Amino acid sequence: MSSSTLKLIGILSMMIDHSAVTLFRLGFLNAWFGADSFKAYEVMRMMGRWAFPIFLFLLVEGFYHTRSVPRFASRLVIFAVISEVFFDYALFGALSPLSNVYFELALAVGMFAAFKWLGAAVPHKVVRGLLMAAVAVAIGLGAEFIHADYGINGIVAAAIFYVLRCHRKAQAVAVIPAFYFEGMPFTFLVAPLLYAYNGKRGLPLKYVFYAFYPVHLALLSLLEFIY
């Protein structure tokens, strides 16, 4: 399974997840499903639990293959800023203190860069491990401070994916404890998808992947004003 296939699965999962929030908040699910509207909402949210683990997995792969970490991080920050108002209105119907997921991904890339530097600068494994843990906690607290979408949970999950990057089977199995906060059982089903990753790029979807996030949120946020 190529990275583009995983991206498409993640995009579809994310769209279902965000659509569930917007449509339930605006009453569309109630109009369509009546008394079963909350059940429909829960099913859609569970289907959306695949998105974040897939995106973090691909973030680690992207970090290892990027030619420029600063450019990689800056793209995430730029799209985070572009997406924020759309994120707020699509999911909450107003400006919100919660920051969209691109901010969290940018923080994770900063953490990966620190991990890489520590790997080269600190030869002692125990000391290096303790310093990496301290970095992860510090950046996780930063994620909590800016009210990033997944907070410290997302940063810890990103750290686990980074550390296990060279051990694909362990990395896939780690989905279960690392993303338990995302909800079961659908997150559990991500494990075989990640294990099936073949290391190939597939279709050139880099900017489609970046742009889809603000575009689909913009379309969802329009519902707030149309209806």
Side-chain angles (χ1 to χ4, degrees), residues 121-190:
V122 183
H124 195 285
K125 289 185 178 180
V126 174
V127 175
R128 184 169 67 244
L130 290 172
L131 290 173
M132 289 173 68
V135 168
V137 170
I139 292 180
L141 292 175
E144 291 289 331
F145 179 76
I146 68 168
H147 303 288
D149 205 357
Y150 294 93
I152 195 170
N153 289 330
I155 296 300
V156 170
I160 292 171
F161 265 19
Y162 180 93
V163 171
L164 296 177
R165 194 256 174 181
C166 295
H167 307 280
R168 182 59 46 72
K169 186 180 292 186
Q171 194 181 37
V173 172
V175 169
I176 301 169
F179 296 93
Y180 185 80
F181 67 93
E182 276 276 68
M184 301 293 275
F186 283 89
T187 305
F188 172 83
L189 299 177
V190 177

Side-chain angles (χ1 to χ4, degrees), residues 44-61:
M44 292 175 72
R45 293 305 306 274
M46 284 192 291
M47 293 173 68
R49 298 304 86 190
W50 285 11
F52 190 55
I54 289 173
F55 292 158
L56 277 190
F57 176 84
L58 293 172
L59 188 75
V60 174
E61 292 299 305

Side-chain angles (χ1 to χ4, degrees), residues 1-224:
M1 186 175 291
S2 68
S3 66
S4 64
T5 302
L6 283 174
K7 284 177 183 178
L8 290 172
I9 294 172
I11 283 172
L12 178 60
S13 175
M14 176 181 65
M15 185 173 65
I16 292 171
D17 187 48
H18 291 161
S19 296
V21 176
T22 303
L23 296 176
F24 183 75
R25 182 174 57 79
L26 294 176
F28 285 90
L29 294 186
N30 185 59
W32 296 339
F33 296 100
D36 293 324
S37 62
F38 189 70
K39 289 181 181 178
Y41 168 80
E42 287 186 316
V43 169
M44 292 175 72
R45 293 305 306 274
M46 284 192 291
M47 293 173 68
R49 298 304 86 190
W50 285 11
F52 190 55
I54 289 173
F55 292 158
L56 277 190
F57 176 84
L58 293 172
L59 188 75
V60 174
E61 292 299 305
F63 177 82
Y64 270 91
H65 291 102
T66 188
R67 288 179 234 176
S68 172
V69 172
R71 280 204 302 268
F72 186 34
S74 65
R75 279 197 300 269
L76 292 169
V77 173
I78 289 169
F79 277 93
V81 173
I82 292 171
S83 303
E84 185 59 29
V85 172
F86 300 136
F87 171 80
D88 290 343
Y89 277 94
L91 272 62
F92 306 104
L95 294 178
S96 165
L98 192 66
S99 300
N100 71 74
V101 73
Y102 269 133
F103 285 109
E104 183 126 28
L105 297 181
L107 286 174
V109 168
M111 177 177 67
F112 298 159
F115 285 176
K116 184 177 180 179
W117 182 83
L118 288 170
V122 183
H124 195 285
K125 289 185 178 180
V126 174
V127 175
R128 184 169 67 244
L130 290 172
L131 290 173
M132 289 173 68
V135 168
V137 170
I139 292 180
L141 292 175
E144 291 289 331
F145 179 76
I146 68 168
H147 303 288
D149 205 357
Y150 294 93
I152 195 170
N153 289 330
I155 296 300
V156 170
I160 292 171
F161 265 19
Y162 180 93
V163 171
L164 296 177
R165 194 256 174 181
C166 295
H167 307 280
R168 182 59 46 72
K169 186 180 292 186
Q171 194 181 37
V173 172
V175 169
I176 301 169
F179 296 93
Y180 185 80
F181 67 93
E182 276 276 68
M184 301 293 275
F186 283 89
T187 305
F188 172 83
L189 299 177
V190 177
L193 297 179
L194 302 187
Y195 187 64
Y197 174 62
N198 58 18
K200 296 180 180 179
R201 180 182 179 184
L203 298 172
L205 295 177
K206 181 170 72 172
Y207 286 103
V208 172
F209 176 65
Y210 279 109
F212 184 85
Y213 187 76
V215 169
H216 92 282
L217 288 174
L219 293 174
L220 287 173
S221 65
L222 281 177
L223 294 175
E224 180 69 29

